[in-house]
Amino acid sequence: MSGEDKLSTYFNKAWLEFTGRSMEQELGNGWKEGVHPDDLAKISQTYGPAVDAREPFVMQYRLKNSDGEYRWITDQGVPRYGPRGNFRGYVGACVDITDLLKKEATLRQFEERVALAAEAAQHGVWELDTVTNELWVSDKVRTLLQLDGDAPTHEDFQARVHPDDRAARDAAIKKAIATKGDYELEYRVPLRDGAIRWIGERARCLADEKGELTRLLGVSVDITKRKQAEDEAHRQRGQINLLSRVSLLGEMTASLAHELNQPLSAIISNANAGMRSIDKGKEDPGTLREILVDVEADGRRAHDIIRNVRNTIKKSDPTLRRINLNELVTKVAHIVRPDAVAYSCEVETSLAKDLPLIEGDPVQIQQVLVNLVSNALDAMRQTPPDRRKVEISTAGNGDSEVRLSVRDHGTGIRTEVHERLFDRFFTTKEQGLGMGLAIVRSIVESHGGDIQAENVADGGARFYFTLPVKKKT
């Protein structure tokens, strides 16, 4: 407390205990002896003019405590008046804010480090207040999304997302806020020059000073080059698959042409001989019978050749190893992730614990699962994006078998095609060759298993196959 002459007239017990000085030492301007020398001028510049103008003041300075340590103090004072309104001096209150300033400095340094690290890694950082819906974005986010204005809103952010991807991002944010969790997704941003930029984004709910999870902190990064590489790899993989199928068909065609040439030639020759015999009026039943018997034999030979070629393709010897189906499912889920993103589809896995090992060719079993998942993705072209989901699950099927299933949320399997699903060269796709499911069944059966397909009550289809468990030795 001070008087009209600006000199201090009273200090409470808390002040005296803090400074470790007596009342007599502090009165008048004695208290300034404990102020850091570098702060005295600032005090005079704030305190003197405020008193002259009879105005409240707030100032910060360093004050030495009883241990000899300088602590930061915030000092607030207001003028006081007597009963008749005459000015009597000032009354003030001081608070030690050293710890608060240290926390603020630490937080500021942390934020600067995060911003620097994010900038170095080409990452953009943003934060959404889930209560007020206020948004803060770093300069990198502004650049990535081409955001305009000094204070872009959450709606501005969403408007820059590709229309086909907005619903998925909005759903991910709402789910993270509702569950106080996190999310990870990829989406497209149309640029002003007509190009498309792919963004990879992760976000997590964080607690405020009260411990309430009211902030959603996100990191966004440009993954366009990676997506382009994935698309190119996918295109090349498709070309390789197509070439493999063409090669397979070519091998089958060449083999059949070579092997069927002789019996077909014999059939033609016998048929011509029969017709010549009839034309000459020599309709000897015995001769005609011999000719027909030869034709039938040659026809059976042709049939056997075709069957043997099919068996050769279907029953190639696999490289047998012990396989952990759960690990294989996890690997395949990673492999098909780019395709799932392209279809705006979610891939979920449900893996049984303590699943027994099977014995088989891991490359072939992986081929089976990739084929089934690819079909599941393709089956959901007409499904709304928020319902597109592929579910891959494993389960034990007694002590002797394991079961793996792939379920989609598409239109299901039409009754008229159900029985022909696994036939070679049968397809319901405009660009399909009708080989995929046939190869799948061939591989599963060559491993001693069985594959089936069914419609699911609440929509979609489920393909599942069983494989024998590796017997313990």
Side-chain angles (χ1 to χ4, degrees):
M1 186 180 296
S2 65
E4 301 173 31
D5 55 2
K6 303 180 184 178
L7 299 178
S8 298
T9 58
Y10 174 78
F11 293 89
N12 66 6
K13 182 179 179 182
W15 174 281
L16 298 177
E17 289 179 348
F18 178 86
T19 60
R21 289 162 59 89
S22 65
M23 181 72 74
E24 290 74 15
Q25 290 175 306
E26 299 295 272
L27 293 177
N29 284 325
W31 65 277
K32 291 184 179 180
E33 295 175 1
V35 175
H36 194 286
D38 292 345
D39 297 337
L40 288 172
K42 180 171 59 176
I43 290 175
S44 298
Q45 293 169 2
T46 303
Y47 181 61
V51 175
D52 293 340
R54 307 294 192 259
E55 293 178 347
F57 67 83
V58 178
M59 56 185 178
Q60 293 180 3
Y61 53 86
R62 285 163 288 181
L63 183 66
K64 186 184 296 185
N65 66 8
S66 58
D67 295 328
E69 176 189 2
Y70 280 106
R71 306 282 290 180
W72 277 100
I73 302 297
T74 180
D75 189 339
Q76 300 183 41
V78 294
R80 59 190 180 92
Y81 298 89
R84 298 179 181 179
N86 55 315
F87 176 67
R88 301 292 299 275
Y90 270 73
V91 61
C94 298
V95 178
D96 183 348
I97 60 171
T98 306
D99 293 337
L100 177 61
L101 292 178
K102 287 181 179 179
K103 289 180 180 179
E104 289 180 348
T106 300
L107 178 60
R108 184 167 56 254
Q109 291 173 1
F110 173 74
E111 290 176 342
E112 290 173 353
R113 292 192 189 103
V114 169
L116 182 61
E119 183 177 351
Q122 298 298 304
H123 289 184
V125 182
W126 54 267
E127 183 176 314
L128 177 66
D129 188 317
T130 61
V131 177
T132 65
N133 213 37
E134 293 180 353
L135 178 71
W136 170 86
V137 298
S138 68
D139 291 339
K140 185 62 179 180
V141 171
R142 294 175 184 271
T143 301
L144 287 176
L145 273 71
Q146 296 185 341
L147 288 169
D148 296 324
D150 296 333
T153 65
H154 177 56
E155 289 72 22
D156 295 333
F157 197 123
Q158 277 291 85
R160 297 296 302 130
V161 178
H162 193 285
D164 293 344
D165 299 338
R166 286 176 195 163
R169 184 175 186 271
D170 188 56
I173 291 175
K174 289 180 178 178
K175 182 178 179 180
I177 294 174
T179 61
K180 308 297 184 184
D182 54 18
Y183 71 83
E184 179 179 355
L185 58 78
E186 298 173 354
Y187 57 86
R188 295 161 291 175
V189 173
L191 303 182
R192 294 189 177 91
D193 61 2
I196 292 293
R197 174 174 289 154
W198 275 95
I199 300 295
E201 185 170 279
R202 292 184 179 184
R204 174 179 297 177
C205 281
L206 299 178
D208 59 15
E209 62 275 5
K210 296 180 181 179
E212 297 291 335
L213 297 175
T214 58
R215 297 183 299 140
L216 188 66
L217 182 64
V219 177
S220 302
V221 60
D222 186 346
I223 59 170
T224 305
K225 291 184 178 179
R226 193 199 82 195
K227 295 297 294 185
Q228 290 173 343
E230 289 176 352
D231 289 343
E232 177 63 19
H234 178 71
R235 186 185 66 81
Q236 292 181 0
R237 188 165 65 246
Q239 290 180 339
I240 291 172
N241 290 339
L242 178 59
L243 290 174
S244 297
R245 293 178 182 179
V246 170
S247 176
L248 175 61
L249 291 174
E251 291 176 5
M252 290 178 62
T253 302
S255 175
L256 287 172
H258 179 270
E259 297 296 330
L260 291 177
N261 183 59
Q262 197 281 330
L264 290 178
S265 296
I267 290 173
I268 293 172
S269 296
N270 284 322
N272 287 334
M275 286 188 291
R276 285 196 300 269
S277 177
I278 293 174
D279 291 340
K280 292 179 180 180
K282 299 179 180 180
E283 302 177 4
D284 181 8
T287 302
L288 291 178
R289 181 176 179 83
E290 290 178 3
I291 292 173
L292 292 175
V293 169
D294 289 341
V295 169
E296 180 186 18
D298 290 331
R300 289 187 178 277
R301 285 175 57 197
H303 176 269
D304 291 339
I305 289 171
I306 295 174
R307 184 181 61 187
N308 288 338
V309 171
R310 292 183 62 190
N311 289 341
T312 299
I313 295 172
K314 291 172 62 178
K315 298 182 179 179
S316 56
D317 294 330
T319 302
L320 300 182
R321 299 177 186 172
R322 290 190 174 187
I323 302 174
N324 183 320
L325 272 187
N326 286 344
E327 293 179 357
L328 187 141
V329 168
T330 302
K331 181 178 180 180
V332 169
H334 179 75
I335 291 174
V336 302
R337 185 168 175 263
D339 292 342
V341 172
Y343 279 89
S344 300
C345 178
E346 183 180 0
V347 176
E348 286 187 358
T349 59
S350 177
L351 308 179
K353 295 182 179 179
D354 302 323
L355 196 68
L357 299 179
I358 64 168
E359 187 177 73
D361 185 332
V363 175
Q364 290 189 1
I365 300 301
Q366 177 177 303
Q367 180 185 357
V368 168
L369 186 53
V370 169
N371 205 318
L372 293 179
V373 173
S374 297
N375 285 350
L377 293 173
D378 192 70
M380 293 186 288
R381 289 180 178 271
Q382 305 303 320
T383 302
D386 60 345
R387 294 189 63 248
R388 295 179 186 175
K389 180 167 62 175
V390 174
E391 301 170 19
I392 310 173
S393 62
T394 61
N397 193 26
D399 296 330
S400 59
E401 291 181 332
V402 293
R403 169 173 162 152
L404 193 152
S405 66
V406 177
R407 185 260 168 99
D408 64 60
H409 290 260
T411 56
I413 305 169
R414 300 198 306 272
T415 304
E416 63 270 20
V417 304
H418 193 281
E419 293 183 357
R420 302 188 61 193
L421 276 176
F422 298 98
D423 290 351
R424 286 184 181 271
F425 305 111
F426 174 78
T427 180
T428 58
K429 304 175 185 177
E430 292 182 0
Q431 305 299 326
L433 293 177
M435 297 291 288
L437 288 178
I439 293 174
V440 164
R441 183 175 66 174
S442 176
I443 293 174
V444 171
E445 290 180 351
S446 72
H447 283 72
D450 181 57
I451 185 167
Q452 301 291 336
E454 63 184 9
N455 285 322
V456 184
D458 58 343
R462 179 186 292 112
F463 286 75
Y464 61 92
F465 60 90
T466 58
L467 295 171
V469 170
K470 168 65 177 175
K471 294 182 180 179
K472 296 182 180 178
T473 56

